[in-house]
Amino acid sequence: MAATRLRSRLSFAILLGLSLSSCLTSLDEEVEINPSIAEDIRYDDVYHEATNQYEVIENFETKYVIHATHLSADFRQAIADRHKTLFEDPTPILSEASAKTGFFISLYVANDEREDLRDQNLWNIILKEGDQSYSPVLVKKLSRKERWKAYFPAVNLWTQEYLVIFDSPAGGSSTQQLVNQSAKVLLITNPDAKVRMSWNDAQE
């Protein structure tokens, strides 16, 4: 009798193990882990080409750290491709920058009172293209930090993200592409420092 019960328990354990193994195999086949930014080689390359980083340090103290990504036509295509890969959704993101010149900015500021990039009493943002200077038409504070981390590795718990748009063509038609090829310098100033970020081999 005891031997029969033992065989029954062993049979049940074997069946349970086979059932769990089947479930795990099924899950492995149905779950696909999305690539990290580092694993998404093409996106990672385009991101680093489009991004400038500066750290402002005074008397061994970090005043602020800024990452600015130029939302160029190449970068917008790369982020659209990554978005489709992650979400199976062809809808473009950051569409506000599609016809203008735009930047995605991650900002860390040691002094919380100076964190708001929209405060024109503390910050000034200018885009220079050749002899032309532009002030932003939009400085938008972004939320949903976890969403942006999938595209911008500088985003973290201590940064604040902004979308900055200028009334300057971003490229697309042949005329806009000629404008887009001119040197771009993004000048960001506050009481601590002036930071010049250049793209397309622009000279400071």
Side-chain angles (χ1 to χ4, degrees):
M1 188 72 176
T4 301
R5 285 200 299 269
L6 179 59
R7 284 196 297 271
S8 178
R9 289 175 181 173
L10 286 172
S11 297
F12 175 75
I14 291 170
L15 287 172
L16 180 61
L18 290 173
S19 176
L20 288 174
S21 175
S22 175
C23 289
L24 289 173
T25 301
S26 177
L27 286 174
D28 287 344
E29 292 173 351
E30 295 177 3
V31 175
E32 180 181 350
I33 303 300
N34 284 326
S36 66
I37 293 175
E39 293 168 334
D40 192 342
I41 305 293
R42 179 183 179 278
Y43 179 81
D44 189 52
D45 287 345
V46 175
Y47 167 79
H48 282 98
E49 287 176 3
T51 302
N52 275 306
Q53 170 190 352
Y54 286 89
E55 184 174 3
V56 176
I57 301 174
E58 184 181 13
N59 297 326
F60 305 103
E61 177 186 358
T62 298
K63 296 292 185 177
Y64 64 94
V65 180
I66 187 166
H67 291 76
T69 301
H70 177 213
L71 305 179
S72 63
D74 286 346
F75 180 80
R76 293 198 312 275
Q77 183 60 56
I79 199 173
D81 292 344
R82 178 163 174 78
H83 179 69
K84 186 176 181 180
T85 297
L86 298 181
F87 293 99
E88 295 291 337
D89 179 9
T91 306
I93 62 174
L94 296 173
S95 56
E96 298 97 324
S98 60
K100 306 291 184 181
T101 296
F103 298 86
F104 183 98
I105 293 178
S106 284
L107 178 67
Y108 163 77
V109 181
N111 184 345
D112 291 343
E113 294 179 356
R114 294 187 178 182
E115 184 183 63
D116 195 346
L117 200 60
R118 300 168 300 177
D119 188 343
Q120 296 182 6
N121 292 316
L122 293 175
W123 295 91
N124 191 31
I125 309 172
I126 300 170
L127 175 68
K128 293 181 177 291
E129 290 183 322
D131 296 331
Q132 299 294 317
S133 294
Y134 301 88
S135 294
V137 295
L138 174 69
V139 181
K140 180 181 179 182
K141 188 175 184 178
L142 300 175
S143 56
R144 299 186 295 174
K145 190 179 292 289
E146 286 301 317
R147 172 182 175 84
W148 299 117
K149 282 175 66 176
Y151 309 100
F152 299 93
V155 175
N156 61 56
L157 183 62
W158 298 278
T159 60
Q160 178 57 59
E161 282 62 52
Y162 296 90
L163 177 63
V164 180
I165 302 292
F166 296 88
D167 193 12
S168 166
S173 70
S174 57
T175 302
Q176 289 176 333
Q177 285 174 356
L178 290 175
V179 176
N180 194 48
Q181 288 172 2
S182 64
K184 297 184 188 300
V185 174
L186 186 65
L187 178 63
I188 301 178
T189 72
N190 78 354
D192 291 316
K194 301 181 184 71
V195 172
R196 287 181 174 84
M197 299 185 172
S198 58
W199 285 263
N200 295 339
D201 298 324
Q203 298 298 317
E204 296 186 6

